[in-house]
């Protein structure tokens, strides 16, 4: 029965690590998207300043704002995934310690 209990926690922790990896990937992509938009915006701003035509900038500012919001959401998702991994790691270690110490039988953990 101990192996089954460990497997439940281990599976949850493995899923949490997958979610964390995915959140980190999304954060990297969001940061790259934002950086790309800002580079484009810098170039367009320079050209607009030289030509004194600023009309097409609104779309780029909107894109920058959306990319910044996406990056902030991705950062929040990474933080939440990190909290979940930490909590599950702690719970797994605690329960395994209790089982090893004989304080709780594996069948009573659920």
């Amino acid at each position: 029965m101990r192996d089954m209990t460990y497997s439940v926690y281990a599976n949850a922790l493995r899923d949490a690590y997958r979610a964390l990896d995915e959140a980190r990937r999304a954060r990297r992509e969001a940061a790259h998207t934002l950086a790309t938009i800002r580079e484009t915006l810098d170039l367009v701003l320079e050209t607009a300043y030289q030509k004194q035509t600023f009309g097409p900038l609104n779309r780029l500012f909107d894109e920058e704002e959306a990319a910044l919001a996406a990056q902030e959401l991705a950062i929040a998702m990474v933080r939440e995934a990190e909290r979940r991994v930490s909590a599950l790691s702690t719970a797994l270690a605690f329960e395994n310690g209790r089982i090893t110490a004989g304080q709780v039988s594996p069948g009573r953990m659920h």
Side-chain angles (χ1 to χ4, degrees):
M1 187 65 98
R2 180 182 189 288
D3 290 339
M4 187 171 125
T5 301
Y6 175 78
S7 178
V8 169
Y9 285 112
N11 288 339
L13 185 57
R14 187 173 42 251
D15 291 345
Y17 272 115
R18 275 193 213 121
L20 178 57
D21 288 342
E22 178 64 24
R24 286 177 174 162
R25 183 197 56 73
R27 180 185 61 191
R28 284 190 304 272
E29 287 179 5
H32 176 73
T33 299
L34 181 59
T36 301
I37 290 170
R38 285 183 171 166
E39 287 173 13
T40 302
L41 187 56
D42 286 344
L43 292 172
V44 172
L45 274 172
E46 187 176 321
T47 302
Y49 181 74
Q50 291 171 356
K51 294 181 178 183
Q52 293 297 303
T53 57
F54 298 97
L57 294 175
N58 288 336
R59 180 186 58 81
L60 286 173
F61 283 125
D62 290 345
E63 286 181 23
E64 180 191 33
E65 186 176 327
L68 183 58
Q71 183 184 31
E72 289 171 353
L73 178 60
I75 289 168
M77 290 175 70
V78 167
R79 286 185 186 136
E80 180 57 33
E82 287 172 340
R83 280 192 280 273
R84 184 168 178 240
V85 165
S86 178
L88 284 167
S89 295
T90 300
L92 178 61
F94 177 75
E95 293 298 337
N96 282 333
R98 290 181 68 195
I99 290 170
T100 301
Q103 294 175 346
V104 171
S105 69
R108 292 184 39 131
M109 290 179 62
H110 295 287

